[in-house]
Amino acid sequence: MKATAKAHTNIALIKYWGKRNESIILPTNSSLSLTLDGFYTTTSVHFSEEYTQDKFILNERVVEGEQYRRVSGFLDLIRQQAGKSLYAAVDSINEVPTAAGFASSASGFAALAAAGTKAIGLNMSDRELSALTRQGSGSACRSIYGGFAEWEMGAEEGGSDSYAVPIAPAEHWDLRVAAVVLSSTAKKVSSRAGMKRTVETSPFYQGWLNSIPTDMSQIKEGIKERDFQKVGEVAEANCLKMHATTLGANPPFTYWHDTTMTVMQTVRDLREKGIPAYFTIDAGPNVKVLYLPENEKVIEKTLRNIPGVADIRLSRPGQGVTYL
């Protein structure tokens, strides 16, 4: 009973920031993302009666501690769905910097969910797989799909209506993303801890929630019309509002580094010179820059010349989960 799946990470254009239910990961707001072809995880899952416990290998190293517990706990959900009690060996290769704000858990849990359910014999629809994946990592539920996807927050207490749905396929629009790598080290405040602190203590948080429906409506309209300015402006403003909530938390914190600010200003400078580009930042210091294909060379060159930038990774819209 073995299967292998590949899933790409995604970049949220309308951010997911906060949970209304921690245990089954129900968000306080809906979010929208673009799946990226440049960052992905390939995972094999093998269930066997011979195993006496789960085993997790990531990038050829045996994983223990909290990461192992999260993976084993998610395998419990798969076993529960299948009505089987077999242990599994999980072998994962992650082409994403882990815990540095590049959504490594999104591709990781999407690949784990896809491979795990297939290996144990479950035949799930994309919607069912997305709802299951959500319980491993919230943002991972969007990585089931390629192109643009919306994670609908839902209203049911049990989470039955909280899953991602496709908005537009990868082929709809060749919107490019330059991932500006400043730091691949693990961040000091995890996304989970940062969300929890912000939801519980930031006086700015309600303002963030109030702004989401308008942002969501406008960005979906922009995607449908392939209106780069509209999509870029909404995504950039939504990102800044999310990060503003962390400054109001108690104690306050930020994911940005000095170079994060420099990259943001450089993107603004590009716009002033007539080169359309917009930035967005998840829970980490690294910046993702949205641009159109015709401006790729000048944007990559400009970003590489910024002191403190370690690397630039270019992506196109990526596909959804695939089985290998």
Side-chain angles (χ1 to χ4, degrees):
M1 298 172 72
K2 184 176 181 180
T4 302
K6 178 180 180 181
H8 292 82
T9 191
N10 64 76
I11 176 66
L13 304 180
I14 301 296
K15 303 298 186 190
Y16 148 53
W17 195 241
K19 302 182 185 76
R20 68 182 193 273
N21 183 312
E22 294 267 343
S23 62
I24 57 174
I25 309 186
L26 296 178
T28 51
N29 64 277
S30 296
S31 55
L32 185 144
S33 65
L34 172 62
T35 300
L36 305 177
D37 73 341
F39 297 93
Y40 56 89
T41 303
T42 306
T43 298
S44 296
V45 178
H46 181 213
F47 286 98
S48 173
E49 293 179 357
E50 296 179 5
Y51 298 143
T52 56
Q53 64 180 42
D54 293 322
K55 185 177 182 181
F56 178 32
I57 298 173
L58 175 62
N59 296 338
E60 301 181 342
R61 296 180 64 177
V62 175
V63 176
E64 297 174 338
E66 178 59 25
Q67 256 189 315
Y68 169 83
R69 286 190 289 273
R70 280 187 73 186
V71 167
S72 187
F74 187 73
L75 290 170
D76 286 342
L77 295 177
I78 293 174
R79 286 185 276 257
Q80 187 180 334
Q81 287 262 4
K84 296 177 181 177
S85 56
L86 299 169
Y87 288 109
V90 177
D91 193 343
S92 193
I93 300 295
N94 195 16
E95 298 292 338
V96 192
T98 302
F102 275 116
S104 59
S105 64
S107 57
F109 274 94
L112 176 63
T117 53
K118 193 172 184 68
I120 210 165
L122 289 169
N123 184 22
M124 289 188 155
S125 67
D126 285 347
R127 182 169 288 189
E128 289 169 333
L129 186 60
S130 178
L132 174 66
T133 304
R134 185 202 78 233
Q135 297 177 70
S137 166
S139 58
C141 78
R142 300 185 304 243
S143 281
I144 300 303
Y145 302 98
F148 299 88
E150 179 186 356
W151 175 10
E152 297 178 343
M153 62 180 285
E156 297 294 328
E157 286 187 18
S160 61
D161 57 350
S162 183
Y163 43 70
V165 295
I167 296 298
E171 299 75 25
H172 170 70
W173 190 14
D174 190 9
L175 182 64
R176 304 285 177 91
V177 177
V180 185
V181 184
L182 311 181
S183 170
S184 56
T185 57
K187 55 207 177 193
K188 292 180 180 177
V189 181
S190 72
S191 299
R192 287 191 168 202
M195 281 185 194
K196 186 173 171 60
R197 190 190 305 179
T198 304
V199 171
E200 291 176 354
T201 68
S202 178
F204 305 154
Y205 191 70
Q206 190 58 49
W208 153 257
L209 290 182
N210 293 345
S211 75
I212 296 296
T214 299
D215 285 357
M216 184 67 78
S217 173
Q218 289 182 347
I219 206 162
K220 284 163 81 171
E221 193 176 285
I223 292 165
K224 182 180 178 181
E225 297 169 352
R226 292 191 283 268
D227 184 334
F228 182 66
Q229 182 176 345
K230 178 180 282 189
V231 168
E233 286 178 351
V234 173
E236 191 171 290
N238 185 269
C239 152
L240 291 172
K241 283 183 286 190
M242 180 203 111
H243 284 273
T245 66
T246 72
L247 298 177
N250 185 19
F253 66 101
T254 181
Y255 290 108
W256 298 351
H257 293 177
D258 290 353
T259 314
T260 308
M261 302 282 286
T262 305
V263 174
M264 291 158 62
Q265 189 55 52
T266 300
V267 171
R268 294 188 187 105
D269 292 344
L270 282 166
R271 284 207 296 271
E272 286 185 12
K273 293 174 183 173
I275 300 164
Y278 296 88
F279 62 78
T280 186
I281 309 163
D282 278 342
N286 302 299
V287 185
K288 291 81 176 178
V289 179
L290 307 174
Y291 64 94
L292 295 171
E294 57 267 28
N295 296 312
E296 184 160 276
K297 285 185 178 180
V298 64
I299 285 174
E300 182 182 8
K301 183 179 179 182
T302 302
L303 295 173
R304 282 195 187 278
N305 285 335
I306 299 172
V309 169
D311 195 15
I312 304 291
R313 300 272 292 271
L314 305 179
S315 287
R316 301 179 182 211
Q319 300 297 326
V321 163
T322 54
Y323 297 91
L324 307 177

